[in-house]
Amino acid sequence: MSISQLRRDVTSQSRQRHTEGGRAGTLEDRRVSYRLGLLGTLEVWGTRRRAAIGGPRHQSLLAALAARAGSVVATEQLIDDLWPERTPASARQQVQNVVAEIRRAFRLADVPGSPLVSRFPGYLLCFGDDSVDSRRFEAQVADARRHAGQRAYEDAVRVFRTADALWRGPAFQGISGRAVRAEAKRLEEVRLDAAEERLDLELALGRHRELIAELSQLTILHPLRERAWGQLMVALYRSGRQAEALNAYTRARRTLGDELGIDPCRELQDLAGAILRGEVCRSAWQSHRR
């Protein structure tokens, strides 16, 4: 669906607002007695206080389990995560000691249910979906997409923003390990896709001026994402800044050429041509991809 089609939908919706008001179909931020935070620094909160997980090794082991939450992680895999280069002779015993200390930290913070359990051939971390910020984030993104599919664009934007507000920093901030890095990269990709979908909707809602600063920052942080460049170009053009919109295209083309040795995608090229002719509303740029 193109931004112009979205705008037509928004115009028709403005004549009949939802009678259900603010309670429209969003996932509730359920209150739970314990929380596992992955979207930023690794945090575990019990009913009393934040759990004192310990030093870097404790954090790394818990993160390795959290990155594979719901799956049994073999002790040998945890050893590889903690000592990727040189494995000490006491590695298995050290893993057992670290697990015992993490469990003790959970108990002191009153984390219920003994979520770190032994399960052959290793360990399993069990937290309910409502208690893990990354799972709540993905559930809310899915909910926002359902709203968008039902053309409830204001609701979709609100839920997208609620989901993004769960982030406190980069996922698993400050913790390394192959599994952790892979999960952090996956979550960041979901976040960026969701942000671009929300920005499409907000452009359709006529908020182009308000979005210029956010889109400028997005293209600086993620200069290879062509969709974000296209959104910035549309926002600038609709704000009466045609020359800056074309300059944004020039920067995108230079960046893609320098970094990847490629030209911008056909859609971005077509958008630049439409801006040059003053025909953006009839361009082939399909910003809202499902």
Side-chain angles (χ1 to χ4, degrees):
M1 182 185 296
S2 65
I3 285 181
S4 59
Q5 178 61 54
L6 284 172
R7 295 188 75 179
R8 286 195 293 272
D9 290 341
V10 168
T11 300
S12 64
Q13 289 173 24
S14 66
R15 300 190 183 98
Q16 47 178 5
R17 299 311 306 155
H18 298 289
T19 59
E20 296 180 356
R23 67 182 183 86
T26 60
L27 290 180
E28 293 183 0
D29 183 7
R30 298 179 180 87
R31 300 300 177 185
V32 294
S33 58
Y34 60 100
R35 303 194 306 276
L36 172 62
L38 308 179
L39 303 180
T41 55
L42 182 64
E43 295 181 354
V44 178
W45 290 83
T47 56
R48 291 188 179 184
R49 61 177 72 91
R50 178 177 173 178
I53 300 303
R57 188 157 295 161
H58 299 68
Q59 296 273 334
S60 294
L61 188 146
L62 182 58
L65 291 168
R68 309 175 180 95
S71 301
V72 176
V73 184
T75 300
E76 294 301 324
Q77 183 60 65
L78 292 172
I79 290 173
D80 288 342
D81 288 339
L82 295 176
W83 296 280
E85 296 179 359
R86 180 177 299 177
T87 303
S90 61
R92 183 172 291 273
Q93 184 60 52
Q94 289 192 51
V95 167
Q96 293 173 0
N97 293 341
V98 170
V99 167
E101 291 165 8
I102 292 174
R103 285 171 170 163
R104 181 175 182 273
F106 284 0
R107 288 194 300 271
L108 291 174
D110 265 2
V111 177
S114 301
L116 177 49
V117 300
S118 298
R119 186 75 55 83
F120 181 83
Y123 301 93
L124 173 67
L125 190 65
C126 303
F127 276 86
D129 287 351
D130 286 345
S131 65
V132 184
D133 59 0
S134 62
R135 296 181 193 170
R136 290 169 55 210
F137 164 72
E138 293 194 83
Q140 289 175 356
V141 167
D143 195 39
R145 287 170 174 162
R146 282 193 292 272
H147 284 305
Q150 296 164 3
R151 300 186 177 184
Y153 302 130
E154 292 280 9
D155 292 334
V157 167
R158 182 172 61 254
V159 181
F160 272 131
R161 287 194 174 276
T162 299
D164 194 68
L166 292 171
W167 287 72
R168 297 169 286 109
F172 296 97
Q173 186 170 4
I175 301 175
S176 59
R178 285 190 295 272
V180 171
R181 287 196 299 269
E183 178 64 1
K185 182 177 180 180
R186 186 190 71 81
L187 288 169
E188 179 65 18
E189 189 69 23
V190 175
R191 185 188 191 187
L192 287 171
D193 286 345
E196 290 176 345
E197 291 174 46
R198 172 183 58 79
L199 289 161
D200 277 339
L201 296 174
E202 296 208 71
L203 283 171
L205 290 165
R207 299 170 186 166
H208 36 272
R209 288 184 176 84
E210 298 95 315
L211 295 175
I212 289 173
E214 182 180 357
L215 284 165
S216 296
Q217 183 72 2
L218 187 60
T219 57
I220 291 171
L221 295 176
H222 305 281
L224 302 183
R225 295 187 73 94
E226 293 172 277
R227 186 175 182 179
W229 282 109
Q231 291 169 329
L232 175 60
M233 291 161 63
V234 169
L236 287 167
Y237 177 80
R238 288 183 177 164
S239 299
R241 297 159 67 173
Q242 181 184 28
E244 292 176 71
L246 292 171
N247 183 56
Y249 174 74
T250 300
R251 298 200 312 273
R253 183 179 60 189
R254 183 184 304 119
T255 298
L256 292 168
D258 291 346
E259 296 292 329
L260 302 177
I262 62 173
D263 291 326
C265 66
R266 172 55 59 185
E267 289 176 326
L268 205 59
Q269 295 180 40
D270 289 346
L271 176 62
I275 288 174
L276 188 62
R277 297 187 301 273
E279 299 174 349
V280 168
C281 291
R282 290 186 281 124
S283 79
W285 176 252
Q286 300 292 323
S287 295
H288 187 57
R289 299 172 184 143
R290 299 295 308 282

